[in-house]
Amino acid sequence: MSSAYPEIYLVRHGETEWSLSGRHTGRTDIPLTAKGEEAARGVADRLKGLTFQAVWSSPSQRAFDTCRLAGFGERAVKKPDLQEWDYGAYEGVTTKEILAGRPGWQLFRDGCPDGETAADVGARADAVIAGLRAVAGNVLIFSSSHFLRVFAARWVGLPPAGGAHFVLDTASLSILGYEHDLTEPVIRRWNQK
């Protein structure tokens, strides 16, 4: 899985009650389920033998607990820009419930009332990317689905709404990197379990 160029390893947090039920979980700080904790421990095996120049985590307990259970908690730096999308009025609401009151709604196109737009999340992703480019080496990041989807889109030069084309399962591993040189960012692996 390695490359001659730095790689960015992305881990989506393990399962929570809300991720299981499809409720939008932005800033509500809920814990992992027992299954989510077990999956987080399994991330350690998938990263065994790899070295990272830096380990960054969203400050949410679901992301940081995934980081800790994977064996990287002592090295992790919590970064506020890695927080999940702020869903505003749609926090804790399922897509089905939103569509009942707002037919045709799409998160990446329409954003959330009293919350963030894709452009807002993209600006945070761009700030993280700028920080990554200053690190000489591989970086491990723990965060949440919609943020990481926008992050991947921005990594390869797509608009923030391009994150709609990427799907992430809980406790999945993805790798961003470069192809021929540092001017060619690519997605090397995506949504691996």
Side-chain angles (χ1 to χ4, degrees):
M1 278 203 276
S2 64
S3 165
Y5 300 105
E7 293 180 321
I8 311 307
Y9 287 69
L10 307 177
V11 178
R12 181 183 175 199
H13 64 76
E15 177 189 273
T16 67
E17 289 295 334
W18 281 19
S19 68
L20 184 61
S21 65
R23 295 170 72 182
H24 286 83
T25 317
R27 305 302 165 85
T28 302
D29 208 13
I30 61 174
L32 299 172
T33 62
K35 183 178 174 184
E37 290 177 352
E38 179 182 338
R41 286 184 197 94
V43 169
D45 291 335
R46 293 164 36 214
L47 297 173
K48 194 172 197 165
L50 298 173
T51 58
F52 298 99
Q53 186 67 26
V55 178
W56 297 347
S57 177
S58 162
S60 73
Q61 71 173 310
R62 62 191 179 273
F64 188 75
D65 283 351
T66 300
C67 174
R68 182 181 54 76
L69 291 166
F72 295 91
E74 289 184 17
R75 293 194 49 213
V77 175
K78 293 180 182 179
K79 301 262 185 185
D81 280 340
L82 292 173
Q83 291 183 92
E84 178 60 299
W85 197 306
D86 182 347
Y87 299 117
Y90 293 158
E91 181 76 10
V93 182
T94 67
T95 298
K96 183 178 178 180
E97 291 168 334
I98 295 167
L99 290 172
R102 189 173 171 189
W105 173 81
Q106 293 177 2
L107 173 65
F108 289 88
R109 182 191 64 211
D110 303 323
C112 300
D114 303 321
E116 289 182 301
T117 64
D120 296 330
V121 180
R124 290 194 287 114
D126 289 346
V128 173
I129 289 169
L132 285 172
R133 297 236 161 96
V135 176
N138 297 342
V139 178
L140 177 59
I141 293 176
F142 293 83
S143 188
S144 299
S145 178
H146 286 135
F147 174 81
L148 290 173
R149 292 168 65 179
V150 171
F151 183 83
R154 295 303 300 139
W155 180 262
V156 296
L158 296 174
H165 301 289
F166 303 99
V167 174
L168 280 175
D169 296 322
T170 54
S172 62
L173 175 64
S174 301
I175 304 171
L176 308 180
Y178 301 91
E179 189 168 14
H180 299 109
D181 60 43
L182 297 178
T183 68
E184 294 183 26
V186 296
I187 296 173
R188 299 187 60 83
R189 301 208 190 321
W190 191 255
N191 198 35
Q192 296 187 320
K193 291 296 274 182

